[in-house]
Amino acid sequence: MNCPKCGAPMLQGAVFCGVCGYRMEGTGPQVSTAQPSGSQGHGINIDEDSRGQGGGYRYEVLHQPAFSLAEIQLQAEQSIQAEAGAMVSMSANIELQSQMKGGLFGAIKRAAGGESAFVSTFTARGGPGEVTFAPGAPGDIAAIELNNQSFFVQSSSYLAGDASLTVDTKWGGAKSFFGGEGLFVLLVQGRGLLLVSSFGAIHRKRLQAGERYVVDTGHLVAWEGTTQYTLRKAAAGFFRSMMSGEGIVAEFTGPGELLIQTRNLAALAGLLKPFFPSQGGGGSGFNLNLGG
């Protein structure tokens, strides 16, 4: 079939033209377009088959859910942006450029939010090309099709996104510092592909209007901008909150949808800490005698 706007050849069932980005209506299920009733542009649209295509690219998420890898096929002169260090492999004709997006102030905000100060842009030069991305920790990758929407993303969960998306670092609330999750979250806006990663699997939770739900901040991946949230202690009183084993939690109020990771990297680090050699003195840690 051909694009009705520019006439370029398209894959059967494609939702976007790979040349001009025109969105087809009434096409097959390659890209999920289902929206909650009465809320066009809302909902987290994740492709059930983990593959799809958009304006100038095709993508597929492989090796789910424990060791996911996102494979992006770019057409000539098309670009995608990613966190510095997220690239696993790429075609020889892919041009990589790293820059401080937003200038010096933007770089400072990103660094304060736990991200790299630099953003990497991958562009296919002279013909189609391939680039693959993966997160640093074992887990899943969700390919989300944004439809002129706003999403909040934990800074450690942002992996890559369409070059047309607007990604800004926002203040997440002073209490989030005491929860060990950093002072900032990412606000992602626009239309196009967004790749987020998790430690463990991704659990989806949809909230109805007015419905309240509490999530440990260490398990948050992303949530819709329509969802209101506040940060608070898990239990009434500081002592009770600490004794519960929980610190700071996020209380959400619908409508909207949340993405929750089933494992917490900070909790894993706490479990492993007793097995690491001590860096202090006092005779603790490893004592290696090399002779002499």
Side-chain angles (χ1 to χ4, degrees), residues 133-151:
F133 302 111
D140 207 351
I141 296 173
I144 304 172
E145 291 284 354
L146 269 66
N147 183 18
N148 293 324
Q149 296 168 268
S150 297
F151 276 83

Side-chain angles (χ1 to χ4, degrees), residues 5 29 42 55 73 83 92 97 117 134 144-145 151 199 201 213 242 253 257-258 261 263 292:
K5 182 177 180 180
H42 294 168
Q73 303 289 339
E83 274 292 281
Q97 292 184 332
I144 304 172
E145 291 284 354
F151 276 83
F199 179 44
Y213 198 70
M242 292 302 102
T253 303
E257 192 169 358
L258 320 174
Q261 60 186 13
R263 296 295 181 268

Side-chain angles (χ1 to χ4, degrees), residues 100-109:
M100 290 192 300
K101 191 172 184 180
L104 180 60
F105 180 68
I108 293 174
K109 287 174 63 180

Side-chain angles (χ1 to χ4, degrees), residues 81-83 100-103 106-107 109-110 115-116 118-119 146 149-155 157-170 185-191 193-196:
Q81 292 183 337
E83 274 292 281
M100 290 192 300
K101 191 172 184 180
K109 287 174 63 180
R110 288 174 58 84
E115 309 164 80
S116 167
F118 294 88
V119 175
L146 269 66
Q149 296 168 268
S150 297
F151 276 83
F152 287 104
V153 181
Q154 278 279 30
S155 58
S157 295
Y158 175 80
L159 187 65
D162 194 305
S164 65
L165 294 177
T166 300
V167 181
D168 193 15
T169 306
K170 294 294 183 181
V185 294
L186 299 182
L187 175 60
V188 184
Q189 297 176 299
R191 185 187 187 103
L193 176 67
L194 169 64
L195 297 175
V196 297

Side-chain angles (χ1 to χ4, degrees), residues 88-240:
V88 175
S89 62
M90 62 183 182
S91 301
N93 68 314
I94 296 290
E95 178 184 85
L96 168 60
Q97 292 184 332
S98 294
Q99 59 183 353
M100 290 192 300
K101 191 172 184 180
L104 180 60
F105 180 68
I108 293 174
K109 287 174 63 180
R110 288 174 58 84
E115 309 164 80
S116 167
F118 294 88
V119 175
S120 298
T121 301
F122 300 83
T123 305
R125 297 299 189 192
E130 173 187 291
V131 58
T132 64
F133 302 111
D140 207 351
I141 296 173
I144 304 172
E145 291 284 354
L146 269 66
N147 183 18
N148 293 324
Q149 296 168 268
S150 297
F151 276 83
F152 287 104
V153 181
Q154 278 279 30
S155 58
S156 60
S157 295
Y158 175 80
L159 187 65
D162 194 305
S164 65
L165 294 177
T166 300
V167 181
D168 193 15
T169 306
K170 294 294 183 181
W171 180 258
K175 288 184 179 179
S176 64
F177 175 80
F178 300 104
E181 303 305 322
L183 289 170
F184 299 94
V185 294
L186 299 182
L187 175 60
V188 184
Q189 297 176 299
R191 185 187 187 103
L193 176 67
L194 169 64
L195 297 175
V196 297
S197 63
S198 67
F199 179 44
I202 293 178
H203 173 65
R204 300 177 66 168
K205 178 67 178 180
R206 184 183 298 278
L207 303 181
Q208 302 301 319
E211 182 180 358
R212 296 162 61 194
Y213 198 70
V214 177
V215 183
D216 184 293
T217 53
H219 287 270
L220 286 171
V221 174
W223 58 97
E224 287 187 86
T226 58
T227 308
Q228 302 298 313
Y229 76 98
T230 58
L231 296 168
R232 62 173 176 81
K233 296 186 294 294
F238 180 80
F239 182 76
R240 289 182 180 179

